[in-house]
Amino acid sequence: DVKVTQSSRYLVKRTGEKVFLECVQDMDHENMFWYRQDPGLGLRLIYFSYDVKMKEKGDIPEGYSVSREKKERFSLILESASTNQTSMYLCASSFGDSESSPLHFGNGTRLTVT
Amino acid sequence: AQSVTQLDSHVSVSEGTPVLLRCNYSSSYSPSLFWYVQHPNKGLQLLLKYTSAATLVKGINGFEAEFKKSETSFHLTKPSAHMSDAAEYFCVVSEDNYGQNFVFGPGTRLSVLP
């Protein structure tokens, strides 16, 4: 079974702090994704990566950056956390060469910015 | 462009009765379709996927879905609801061949009454 592991389940940070959310997958997937999930707004794509050091902006990249130095690891960075970034963050991965490849999700990180 | 409509934001059933969660999609090509389940404070878990091999797809936990091209629908069913089925369900469509482009429905919250 594919395993996608997010380093923290719950995180509390202060406004202005730099925050790192880490995600690791163990199935050699090419694609990795960061979503945020908010009540009433559904899942929104922040960034995705299709290869090491490659990234594409999603629907809501403002205030975020990402890093993918190794194939298995994809980090989401909040340069200066703000209260409107309080949310559930979900990491996912998928194979890159199949039309039917599903997304595999981690358990999420619930981030609170105070 | 792809889009997904989940016709009911909330469905409530009694334990032991059938479940029907509706999903309609819009796609220019032959899409791949997925259903995911999300329990509170957890990530999304893949229930089943449609990949053009068979129109009736069986998934985990007794769920199944039928792809109907003429109706552009992919409704999720289960013959007998269990208390543990109470969760949020997401219908997802993908058109690309690289596992990169996914469009999520807004979700349906399923309540199961004793």
Side-chain angles (χ1 to χ4, degrees):
Chain A
D1 258 2
V2 176
K3 191 161 187 185
V4 179
T5 303
Q6 294 183 231
S7 54
S8 304
R9 291 298 308 279
Y10 299 93
L11 213 49
V12 180
K13 296 292 181 180
R14 293 195 181 275
T15 303
E17 277 193 80
K18 190 169 186 175
V19 181
F20 293 85
L21 302 184
E22 307 286 347
C23 176
V24 177
Q25 50 96 3
D26 66 357
M27 279 299 289
D28 204 34
H29 283 172
E30 288 80 8
N31 302 317
M32 295 188 76
F33 305 77
W34 277 106
Y35 291 89
R36 65 175 281 177
Q37 184 178 28
D38 301 286
L41 297 176
L43 273 82
R44 293 180 290 169
L45 181 64
I46 305 171
Y47 269 98
F48 82 94
S49 168
Y50 53 91
D51 202 349
V52 175
K53 297 190 187 294
M54 307 304 288
K55 62 186 179 186
E56 291 281 345
K57 292 180 180 179
D59 302 317
I60 51 163
E62 297 79 18
Y64 303 94
S65 62
V66 290
S67 172
R68 193 165 180 203
E69 297 296 320
K70 293 186 177 181
K71 191 174 185 180
E72 68 270 19
R73 186 179 296 270
F74 192 35
S75 303
L76 180 70
I77 303 153
L78 287 65
E79 297 290 343
S80 177
S82 64
T83 55
N84 63 13
Q85 292 178 310
T86 292
S87 186
M88 173 71 129
Y89 290 87
L90 294 165
C91 176
S93 69
S94 70
F95 278 117
D97 60 354
S98 168
E99 65 181 39
S100 62
S101 175
L103 287 166
H104 299 268
F105 283 88
N107 272 329
T109 296
R110 186 165 293 281
L111 173 67
T112 302
V113 183
T114 62
Chain B
Q2 308 165 86
S3 67
V4 180
T5 303
Q6 292 183 244
L7 296 158
D8 306 297
S9 60
H10 182 213
V11 170
S12 186
V13 301
S14 296
E15 190 174 23
T17 64
V19 175
L20 170 64
L21 305 183
R22 297 182 291 169
C23 172
N24 287 89
Y25 69 92
S26 172
S27 173
S28 304
Y29 306 102
S30 296
S32 295
L33 293 157
F34 310 89
W35 274 100
Y36 286 84
V37 61
Q38 185 181 30
H39 288 94
N41 292 311
K42 292 289 184 99
L44 279 69
Q45 180 186 15
L46 181 67
L47 276 177
L48 49 80
K49 66 179 183 180
Y50 166 75
T51 59
S52 76
T55 56
L56 184 62
V57 182
K58 293 190 184 299
I60 62 171
N61 300 336
F63 285 95
E64 60 183 40
E66 186 172 9
F67 174 71
K68 292 187 176 180
K69 187 174 182 178
S70 60
E71 298 176 10
T72 59
S73 69
F74 190 55
H75 301 334
L76 182 70
T77 60
K78 182 173 181 178
S80 177
H82 193 271
M83 296 296 289
S84 60
D85 295 327
E88 189 93 17
Y89 291 79
F90 294 92
C91 182
V92 181
V93 63
S94 176
E95 281 183 346
D96 77 2
N97 294 325
Y98 304 104
Q100 294 176 356
N101 186 11
F102 297 87
V103 176
F104 286 78
T108 297
R109 182 164 62 90
L110 175 66
S111 298
V112 182
L113 307 174

